[in-house]
């Protein structure tokens, strides 16, 4: 009996030590995922309107990490991807168990059970598959990311790296390409679209399956209404908003200025100026005649 108690005690001690070692390794390793990121170079006018942008070294429209997220987008993202985001330490056991049961019943992967932090880890690791080993690695990194970053910072990191189809990466680039916006004043329909699009960016986007994209957006709007976030009239108006029909090109009016600033400050990707963007556009139009 005494020998059995000692064995259990040693086993528990070994398990606790192993868990501590796994946690410490995740804490140490996770920040290095951010070191290899490259960004587009962007320049803004005095009102923070985009004047010009240069594509990143790897050919992506990946703007520098967003500084502010629209509140409507945060609400949509949490309700669509991770309702218990503020409660878990990077991993949501209940969501993983629910997803495992759903996958077992379907005989294939129909749900991932990933938290927003795990999805951030997948984006940083550049995982393209949804295998169990990849999921374990994402869980491991998620624990480390939660240690180093606040919940607000994790949301901003995820939003800055989420795929929006083609070579559009992150909410800031998507806001411009889809809506020609750089501010945080967006509608509920726009916020819902930006929340659901990264879920299947290769198969659901503006150029194909537009109806499927609208259905996904409207389902999220319905969910927000069911949870008391949208009233019936606002829900109806939001559903009437059309899906964007085109991708807006990046502005080039200040391309020379952008190249100068980039050459002078090669480690910087975002620049703010005192230029009046509207006045510059008007002058450009006048000199074109």
């Amino acid at each position: 009996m005494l020998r059995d108690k000692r064995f259990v005690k040693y086993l528990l001690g070994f398990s606790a030590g192993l868990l501590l070692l796994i946690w410490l390794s995740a804490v140490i390793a996770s920040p290095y995922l951010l070191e290899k990121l490259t960004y587009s170079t962007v320049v803004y006018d005095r009102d923070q309107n985009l004047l010009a942008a240069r594509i990143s070294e790897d050919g992506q429209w990946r703007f520098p990490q967003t500084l502010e997220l629209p509140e409507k987008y945060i609400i949509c993202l949490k309700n669509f991807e991770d309702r218990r985001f503020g409660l878990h330490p990077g991993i949501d056991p209940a969501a993983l168990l629910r997803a495992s049961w759903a996958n077992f019943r379907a005989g294939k992967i129909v749900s991932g059970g990933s938290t927003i932090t795990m999805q951030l880890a997948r984006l940083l690791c550049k995982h393209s598959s949804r295998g169990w080993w990849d999921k374990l690695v994402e869980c491991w990194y998620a624990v480390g990311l939660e240690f180093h970053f606040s919940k607000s910072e994790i949301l901003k990191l995820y939003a800055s790296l989420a795929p929006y189809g083609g070579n559009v990466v992150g909410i800031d680039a998507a806001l411009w390409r889809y809506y020609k916006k750089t501010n945080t004043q967006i509608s509920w329909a726009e916020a819902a679209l930006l929340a659901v699009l990264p879920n299947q960016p290769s198969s659901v986007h503006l150029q194909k399956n537009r109806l499927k994209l609208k259905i996904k957006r409207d389902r999220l709007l319905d969910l927000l209404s069911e949870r008391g976030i949208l009233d019936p009239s606002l829900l109806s108006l939001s559903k009437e908003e059309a899906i964007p029909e085109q991708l807006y090109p990046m502005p080039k009016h200040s391309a020379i200025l952008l190249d100068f600033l980039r050459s002078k400050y090669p480690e910087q990707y975002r620049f703010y100026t005192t230029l009046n963007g509207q006045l510059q556009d008007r002058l450009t139009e006048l000199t074109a005649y």
Side-chain angles (χ1 to χ4, degrees), residues 76 80 179 187-197 199-200 204 206 209-225 230 234-245:
C76 287
F80 182 69
Y179 299 109
S187 68
W188 280 107
E190 292 168 345
L193 182 75
L194 292 169
V196 304
L197 191 52
N199 187 254
Q200 291 178 305
V204 182
L206 303 186
N209 293 333
R210 291 172 56 82
L211 179 59
K212 186 177 179 181
L213 178 57
K214 185 179 186 306
I215 291 172
K216 288 191 67 173
R217 182 202 69 177
D218 290 352
R219 282 177 180 168
L220 176 54
L221 292 172
D222 285 332
L223 180 64
L224 296 178
S225 179
L230 298 183
L234 187 53
L235 172 64
S236 178
L237 288 172
S238 298
K239 284 187 171 184
E240 289 179 4
E241 286 192 32
I243 299 294
E245 295 183 354

Short mmCIF file of all heavy atoms in Angstrom, two decimals, residues 76 80 179 187-197 199-200 204 206 209-225 230 234-245:
data_model
loop_
_atom_site.label_atom_id
_atom_site.label_comp_id
_atom_site.label_asym_id
_atom_site.label_seq_id
_atom_site.Cartn_x
_atom_site.Cartn_y
_atom_site.Cartn_z
N CYS A 76 -18.48 40.88 -33.56
CA CYS A 76 -18.77 39.88 -34.59
C CYS A 76 -17.77 38.73 -34.53
O CYS A 76 -18.15 37.56 -34.61
CB CYS A 76 -18.74 40.53 -35.97
SG CYS A 76 -20.16 41.59 -36.33
N PHE A 80 -18.63 34.81 -33.65
CA PHE A 80 -18.50 33.85 -34.74
C PHE A 80 -17.43 32.80 -34.46
O PHE A 80 -17.63 31.61 -34.74
CB PHE A 80 -18.14 34.60 -36.03
CG PHE A 80 -18.02 33.70 -37.24
CD1 PHE A 80 -19.13 33.08 -37.78
CD2 PHE A 80 -16.78 33.48 -37.83
CE1 PHE A 80 -19.02 32.25 -38.89
CE2 PHE A 80 -16.66 32.65 -38.94
CZ PHE A 80 -17.78 32.03 -39.47
N TYR A 179 -13.70 48.11 -49.13
CA TYR A 179 -14.59 49.22 -48.84
C TYR A 179 -13.96 50.61 -49.04
O TYR A 179 -14.63 51.61 -48.85
CB TYR A 179 -15.10 49.13 -47.39
CG TYR A 179 -15.88 47.87 -47.12
CD1 TYR A 179 -15.36 46.86 -46.32
CD2 TYR A 179 -17.16 47.70 -47.65
CE1 TYR A 179 -16.09 45.70 -46.07
CE2 TYR A 179 -17.89 46.55 -47.41
CZ TYR A 179 -17.35 45.56 -46.61
OH TYR A 179 -18.07 44.42 -46.36
N SER A 187 -20.11 49.49 -40.71
CA SER A 187 -21.46 49.04 -40.39
C SER A 187 -21.42 47.62 -39.82
O SER A 187 -20.40 46.94 -39.87
CB SER A 187 -22.32 49.07 -41.65
OG SER A 187 -21.87 48.07 -42.57
N TRP A 188 -22.57 47.17 -39.31
CA TRP A 188 -22.65 45.80 -38.80
C TRP A 188 -22.47 44.79 -39.92
O TRP A 188 -21.84 43.75 -39.73
CB TRP A 188 -24.00 45.58 -38.11
CG TRP A 188 -24.06 46.13 -36.72
CD1 TRP A 188 -24.72 47.23 -36.30
CD2 TRP A 188 -23.39 45.61 -35.57
NE1 TRP A 188 -24.53 47.44 -34.94
CE2 TRP A 188 -23.71 46.45 -34.48
CE3 TRP A 188 -22.55 44.51 -35.34
CZ2 TRP A 188 -23.23 46.22 -33.19
CZ3 TRP A 188 -22.06 44.28 -34.05
CH2 TRP A 188 -22.41 45.13 -33.00
N ALA A 189 -23.00 45.10 -41.10
CA ALA A 189 -22.85 44.19 -42.24
C ALA A 189 -21.38 44.08 -42.64
O ALA A 189 -20.89 42.98 -42.94
CB ALA A 189 -23.68 44.68 -43.42
N GLU A 190 -20.67 45.20 -42.66
CA GLU A 190 -19.25 45.18 -43.00
C GLU A 190 -18.45 44.43 -41.94
O GLU A 190 -17.56 43.64 -42.27
CB GLU A 190 -18.74 46.62 -43.14
CG GLU A 190 -19.32 47.35 -44.34
CD GLU A 190 -19.05 48.83 -44.33
OE1 GLU A 190 -18.66 49.38 -43.26
OE2 GLU A 190 -19.23 49.48 -45.38
N ALA A 191 -18.78 44.67 -40.68
CA ALA A 191 -18.08 43.98 -39.59
C ALA A 191 -18.30 42.47 -39.66
O ALA A 191 -17.37 41.68 -39.47
CB ALA A 191 -18.55 44.52 -38.24
N ALA A 192 -19.53 42.06 -39.95
CA ALA A 192 -19.84 40.63 -40.04
C ALA A 192 -19.10 39.99 -41.20
O ALA A 192 -18.58 38.86 -41.08
CB ALA A 192 -21.35 40.43 -40.20
N LEU A 193 -19.03 40.67 -42.33
CA LEU A 193 -18.31 40.13 -43.49
C LEU A 193 -16.83 39.95 -43.17
O LEU A 193 -16.23 38.92 -43.50
CB LEU A 193 -18.48 41.06 -44.69
CG LEU A 193 -17.81 40.58 -45.97
CD1 LEU A 193 -18.62 39.46 -46.60
CD2 LEU A 193 -17.66 41.72 -46.97
N LEU A 194 -16.24 40.95 -42.51
CA LEU A 194 -14.82 40.88 -42.16
C LEU A 194 -14.55 39.78 -41.14
O LEU A 194 -13.45 39.24 -41.08
CB LEU A 194 -14.35 42.23 -41.61
CG LEU A 194 -14.32 43.38 -42.61
CD1 LEU A 194 -14.09 44.71 -41.90
CD2 LEU A 194 -13.24 43.16 -43.68
N ALA A 195 -15.55 39.43 -40.33
CA ALA A 195 -15.39 38.37 -39.33
C ALA A 195 -15.47 36.98 -39.96
O ALA A 195 -14.72 36.08 -39.57
CB ALA A 195 -16.43 38.52 -38.23
N VAL A 196 -16.35 36.78 -40.94
CA VAL A 196 -16.57 35.44 -41.49
C VAL A 196 -15.63 35.12 -42.65
O VAL A 196 -15.36 33.94 -42.90
CB VAL A 196 -18.03 35.25 -41.96
CG1 VAL A 196 -19.00 35.54 -40.82
CG2 VAL A 196 -18.36 36.11 -43.17
N LEU A 197 -15.15 36.12 -43.35
CA LEU A 197 -14.37 35.86 -44.57
C LEU A 197 -13.10 35.06 -44.33
O LEU A 197 -12.79 34.15 -45.12
CB LEU A 197 -14.05 37.18 -45.26
CG LEU A 197 -13.47 37.10 -46.68
CD1 LEU A 197 -14.34 36.25 -47.58
CD2 LEU A 197 -13.34 38.49 -47.27
N ASN A 199 -12.59 32.66 -42.49
CA ASN A 199 -12.91 31.26 -42.20
C ASN A 199 -12.70 30.37 -43.42
O ASN A 199 -12.26 29.23 -43.29
CB ASN A 199 -14.35 31.17 -41.69
CG ASN A 199 -14.72 29.79 -41.20
OD1 ASN A 199 -15.45 29.08 -41.86
ND2 ASN A 199 -14.18 29.40 -40.05
N GLN A 200 -13.02 30.88 -44.61
CA GLN A 200 -12.82 30.14 -45.86
C GLN A 200 -12.42 31.12 -46.97
O GLN A 200 -13.14 31.26 -47.95
CB GLN A 200 -14.09 29.39 -46.26
CG GLN A 200 -14.46 28.24 -45.36
CD GLN A 200 -15.75 27.57 -45.80
OE1 GLN A 200 -16.78 28.21 -45.93
NE2 GLN A 200 -15.68 26.27 -46.05
N VAL A 204 -14.58 31.27 -50.52
CA VAL A 204 -15.69 32.21 -50.38
C VAL A 204 -15.12 33.62 -50.44
O VAL A 204 -14.55 34.11 -49.48
CB VAL A 204 -16.44 32.00 -49.04
CG1 VAL A 204 -17.60 32.97 -48.96
CG2 VAL A 204 -16.91 30.58 -48.91
N LEU A 206 -15.11 37.58 -53.12
CA LEU A 206 -15.90 38.44 -53.99
C LEU A 206 -16.02 37.91 -55.41
O LEU A 206 -17.01 38.17 -56.09
CB LEU A 206 -15.27 39.85 -54.03
CG LEU A 206 -15.10 40.56 -52.69
CD1 LEU A 206 -14.61 41.98 -52.92
CD2 LEU A 206 -16.40 40.57 -51.92
N ASN A 209 -18.66 32.41 -55.56
CA ASN A 209 -19.47 32.02 -54.41
C ASN A 209 -19.96 33.23 -53.60
O ASN A 209 -19.98 33.20 -52.36
CB ASN A 209 -18.70 31.07 -53.49
CG ASN A 209 -18.44 29.73 -54.14
OD1 ASN A 209 -19.18 29.29 -55.02
ND2 ASN A 209 -17.37 29.08 -53.73
N ARG A 210 -20.33 34.28 -54.30
CA ARG A 210 -20.79 35.50 -53.62
C ARG A 210 -22.04 35.22 -52.78
O ARG A 210 -22.20 35.76 -51.69
CB ARG A 210 -21.06 36.60 -54.64
CG ARG A 210 -19.82 37.15 -55.32
CD ARG A 210 -20.17 38.09 -56.46
NE ARG A 210 -21.03 39.18 -56.00
CZ ARG A 210 -20.58 40.27 -55.40
NH1 ARG A 210 -19.28 40.42 -55.17
NH2 ARG A 210 -21.41 41.21 -55.02
N LEU A 211 -22.93 34.37 -53.31
CA LEU A 211 -24.14 34.05 -52.56
C LEU A 211 -23.81 33.32 -51.27
O LEU A 211 -24.40 33.59 -50.21
CB LEU A 211 -25.07 33.20 -53.43
CG LEU A 211 -26.38 32.75 -52.75
CD1 LEU A 211 -27.20 33.95 -52.30
CD2 LEU A 211 -27.18 31.86 -53.69
N LYS A 212 -22.85 32.40 -51.34
CA LYS A 212 -22.43 31.66 -50.15
C LYS A 212 -21.84 32.61 -49.12
O LYS A 212 -22.08 32.45 -47.90
CB LYS A 212 -21.40 30.59 -50.53
CG LYS A 212 -21.02 29.67 -49.40
CD LYS A 212 -20.06 28.59 -49.88
CE LYS A 212 -19.65 27.67 -48.73
NZ LYS A 212 -18.70 26.62 -49.18
N LEU A 213 -21.08 33.60 -49.58
CA LEU A 213 -20.49 34.58 -48.68
C LEU A 213 -21.58 35.40 -48.00
O LEU A 213 -21.52 35.65 -46.79
CB LEU A 213 -19.54 35.49 -49.45
CG LEU A 213 -18.87 36.62 -48.65
CD1 LEU A 213 -18.10 36.07 -47.47
CD2 LEU A 213 -17.95 37.44 -49.56
N LYS A 214 -22.59 35.81 -48.75
CA LYS A 214 -23.69 36.59 -48.17
C LYS A 214 -24.46 35.75 -47.15
O LYS A 214 -24.87 36.25 -46.09
CB LYS A 214 -24.63 37.08 -49.26
CG LYS A 214 -25.74 38.01 -48.75
CD LYS A 214 -26.63 38.49 -49.86
CE LYS A 214 -27.63 39.53 -49.34
NZ LYS A 214 -28.43 39.09 -48.19
N ILE A 215 -24.67 34.46 -47.46
CA ILE A 215 -25.38 33.59 -46.54
C ILE A 215 -24.61 33.47 -45.22
O ILE A 215 -25.20 33.53 -44.13
CB ILE A 215 -25.60 32.20 -47.17
CG1 ILE A 215 -26.61 32.29 -48.32
CG2 ILE A 215 -26.06 31.19 -46.12
CD1 ILE A 215 -26.74 31.00 -49.11
N LYS A 216 -23.30 33.32 -45.29
CA LYS A 216 -22.48 33.22 -44.07
C LYS A 216 -22.56 34.52 -43.27
O LYS A 216 -22.67 34.50 -42.04
CB LYS A 216 -21.02 32.92 -44.43
CG LYS A 216 -20.78 31.52 -44.93
CD LYS A 216 -19.30 31.20 -44.99
CE LYS A 216 -18.69 31.15 -43.62
NZ LYS A 216 -17.28 30.68 -43.64
N ARG A 217 -22.48 35.65 -43.97
CA ARG A 217 -22.56 36.94 -43.28
C ARG A 217 -23.91 37.09 -42.60
O ARG A 217 -23.99 37.49 -41.43
CB ARG A 217 -22.35 38.07 -44.29
CG ARG A 217 -22.36 39.46 -43.67
CD ARG A 217 -22.68 40.53 -44.68
NE ARG A 217 -24.07 40.45 -45.14
CZ ARG A 217 -24.61 41.31 -45.99
NH1 ARG A 217 -23.88 42.30 -46.50
NH2 ARG A 217 -25.88 41.19 -46.36
N ASP A 218 -24.98 36.75 -43.32
CA ASP A 218 -26.33 36.93 -42.78
C ASP A 218 -26.60 35.97 -41.61
O ASP A 218 -27.36 36.30 -40.69
CB ASP A 218 -27.37 36.73 -43.88
CG ASP A 218 -27.36 37.87 -44.89
OD1 ASP A 218 -26.65 38.88 -44.64
OD2 ASP A 218 -28.04 37.76 -45.92
N ARG A 219 -26.01 34.78 -41.64
CA ARG A 219 -26.16 33.86 -40.51
C ARG A 219 -25.55 34.46 -39.25
O ARG A 219 -26.11 34.32 -38.15
CB ARG A 219 -25.50 32.52 -40.84
CG ARG A 219 -26.32 31.62 -41.75
CD ARG A 219 -25.56 30.36 -42.08
NE ARG A 219 -26.31 29.47 -42.97
CZ ARG A 219 -25.79 28.43 -43.58
NH1 ARG A 219 -24.50 28.12 -43.40
NH2 ARG A 219 -26.54 27.67 -44.38
N LEU A 220 -24.42 35.11 -39.40
CA LEU A 220 -23.81 35.76 -38.24
C LEU A 220 -24.67 36.91 -37.76
O LEU A 220 -24.86 37.09 -36.55
CB LEU A 220 -22.41 36.25 -38.59
CG LEU A 220 -21.68 37.05 -37.50
CD1 LEU A 220 -21.63 36.26 -36.19
CD2 LEU A 220 -20.27 37.43 -37.94
N LEU A 221 -25.23 37.67 -38.68
CA LEU A 221 -26.13 38.77 -38.29
C LEU A 221 -27.35 38.21 -37.55
O LEU A 221 -27.80 38.80 -36.55
CB LEU A 221 -26.55 39.56 -39.53
CG LEU A 221 -25.44 40.37 -40.21
CD1 LEU A 221 -25.94 40.93 -41.54
CD2 LEU A 221 -24.95 41.50 -39.31
N ASP A 222 -27.89 37.08 -38.02
CA ASP A 222 -29.01 36.44 -37.33
C ASP A 222 -28.61 36.02 -35.92
O ASP A 222 -29.40 36.16 -34.97
CB ASP A 222 -29.49 35.21 -38.11
CG ASP A 222 -30.28 35.58 -39.37
OD1 ASP A 222 -30.91 36.65 -39.37
OD2 ASP A 222 -30.25 34.79 -40.33
N LEU A 223 -27.40 35.49 -35.79
CA LEU A 223 -26.92 35.06 -34.48
C LEU A 223 -26.81 36.25 -33.53
O LEU A 223 -27.19 36.16 -32.35
CB LEU A 223 -25.55 34.38 -34.63
CG LEU A 223 -24.90 33.87 -33.34
CD1 LEU A 223 -25.76 32.77 -32.71
CD2 LEU A 223 -23.50 33.35 -33.63
N LEU A 224 -26.31 37.37 -34.04
CA LEU A 224 -26.22 38.58 -33.21
C LEU A 224 -27.60 39.04 -32.77
O LEU A 224 -27.78 39.52 -31.64
CB LEU A 224 -25.52 39.69 -33.99
CG LEU A 224 -24.06 39.44 -34.38
CD1 LEU A 224 -23.52 40.61 -35.19
CD2 LEU A 224 -23.19 39.20 -33.15
N SER A 225 -28.58 38.90 -33.66
CA SER A 225 -29.95 39.28 -33.31
C SER A 225 -30.51 38.34 -32.24
O SER A 225 -31.16 38.78 -31.28
CB SER A 225 -30.83 39.24 -34.56
OG SER A 225 -32.17 39.57 -34.25
N LEU A 230 -28.39 42.87 -31.98
CA LEU A 230 -29.04 43.66 -33.04
C LEU A 230 -30.55 43.58 -32.85
O LEU A 230 -31.10 42.50 -32.63
CB LEU A 230 -28.68 43.11 -34.42
CG LEU A 230 -27.21 43.14 -34.85
CD1 LEU A 230 -27.09 42.63 -36.28
CD2 LEU A 230 -26.62 44.53 -34.74
N LEU A 234 -32.53 46.88 -37.26
CA LEU A 234 -31.13 46.97 -37.64
C LEU A 234 -30.67 45.70 -38.35
O LEU A 234 -29.87 45.76 -39.29
CB LEU A 234 -30.27 47.21 -36.39
CG LEU A 234 -28.78 47.51 -36.61
CD1 LEU A 234 -28.58 48.66 -37.60
CD2 LEU A 234 -28.10 47.82 -35.29
N LEU A 235 -31.20 44.56 -37.94
CA LEU A 235 -30.89 43.30 -38.61
C LEU A 235 -31.36 43.35 -40.06
O LEU A 235 -30.61 42.95 -40.98
CB LEU A 235 -31.57 42.14 -37.88
CG LEU A 235 -31.52 40.78 -38.56
CD1 LEU A 235 -30.08 40.28 -38.66
CD2 LEU A 235 -32.39 39.77 -37.82
N SER A 236 -32.57 43.83 -40.28
CA SER A 236 -33.11 43.90 -41.64
C SER A 236 -32.30 44.83 -42.51
O SER A 236 -31.98 44.50 -43.67
CB SER A 236 -34.57 44.37 -41.58
OG SER A 236 -35.11 44.49 -42.88
N LEU A 237 -31.93 45.99 -41.99
CA LEU A 237 -31.14 46.96 -42.75
C LEU A 237 -29.75 46.39 -43.06
O LEU A 237 -29.22 46.59 -44.17
CB LEU A 237 -31.00 48.26 -41.97
CG LEU A 237 -32.25 49.13 -41.86
CD1 LEU A 237 -32.02 50.29 -40.90
CD2 LEU A 237 -32.66 49.66 -43.23
N SER A 238 -29.16 45.68 -42.11
CA SER A 238 -27.82 45.12 -42.31
C SER A 238 -27.83 44.06 -43.40
O SER A 238 -26.92 43.98 -44.22
CB SER A 238 -27.30 44.53 -41.00
OG SER A 238 -27.18 45.51 -39.99
N LYS A 239 -28.87 43.24 -43.42
CA LYS A 239 -28.96 42.19 -44.44
C LYS A 239 -29.16 42.76 -45.84
O LYS A 239 -28.80 42.11 -46.84
CB LYS A 239 -30.11 41.24 -44.11
CG LYS A 239 -29.81 40.25 -42.99
CD LYS A 239 -30.95 39.26 -42.87
CE LYS A 239 -30.60 38.13 -41.93
NZ LYS A 239 -31.67 37.11 -41.87
N GLU A 240 -29.70 43.96 -45.92
CA GLU A 240 -29.93 44.57 -47.22
C GLU A 240 -28.65 45.13 -47.84
O GLU A 240 -28.62 45.39 -49.04
CB GLU A 240 -30.97 45.70 -47.09
CG GLU A 240 -32.39 45.19 -46.84
CD GLU A 240 -33.38 46.31 -46.70
OE1 GLU A 240 -32.97 47.49 -46.87
OE2 GLU A 240 -34.56 46.04 -46.39
N GLU A 241 -27.63 45.32 -47.03
CA GLU A 241 -26.36 45.83 -47.57
C GLU A 241 -25.75 44.81 -48.53
O GLU A 241 -25.66 43.62 -48.22
CB GLU A 241 -25.37 46.14 -46.44
CG GLU A 241 -25.71 47.39 -45.66
CD GLU A 241 -24.57 47.82 -44.75
OE1 GLU A 241 -23.40 47.59 -45.11
OE2 GLU A 241 -24.87 48.39 -43.68
N ALA A 242 -25.35 45.29 -49.69
CA ALA A 242 -24.81 44.40 -50.71
C ALA A 242 -23.38 43.98 -50.38
O ALA A 242 -22.65 44.69 -49.68
CB ALA A 242 -24.84 45.09 -52.07
N ILE A 243 -22.99 42.83 -50.89
CA ILE A 243 -21.60 42.38 -50.80
C ILE A 243 -20.78 43.25 -51.76
O ILE A 243 -21.24 43.55 -52.87
CB ILE A 243 -21.49 40.90 -51.20
CG1 ILE A 243 -22.32 40.03 -50.25
CG2 ILE A 243 -20.03 40.44 -51.20
CD1 ILE A 243 -21.84 40.00 -48.84
N PRO A 244 -19.58 43.69 -51.39
CA PRO A 244 -18.76 44.50 -52.30
C PRO A 244 -18.58 43.82 -53.65
O PRO A 244 -18.44 42.59 -53.73
CB PRO A 244 -17.42 44.61 -51.55
CG PRO A 244 -17.78 44.44 -50.12
CD PRO A 244 -18.92 43.46 -50.09
N GLU A 245 -18.60 44.61 -54.69
CA GLU A 245 -18.53 44.05 -56.04
C GLU A 245 -17.15 44.15 -56.68
O GLU A 245 -16.92 43.58 -57.74
CB GLU A 245 -19.55 44.77 -56.94
CG GLU A 245 -20.99 44.55 -56.52
CD GLU A 245 -21.97 45.21 -57.45
OE1 GLU A 245 -21.52 45.95 -58.36
OE2 GLU A 245 -23.19 44.99 -57.30
#
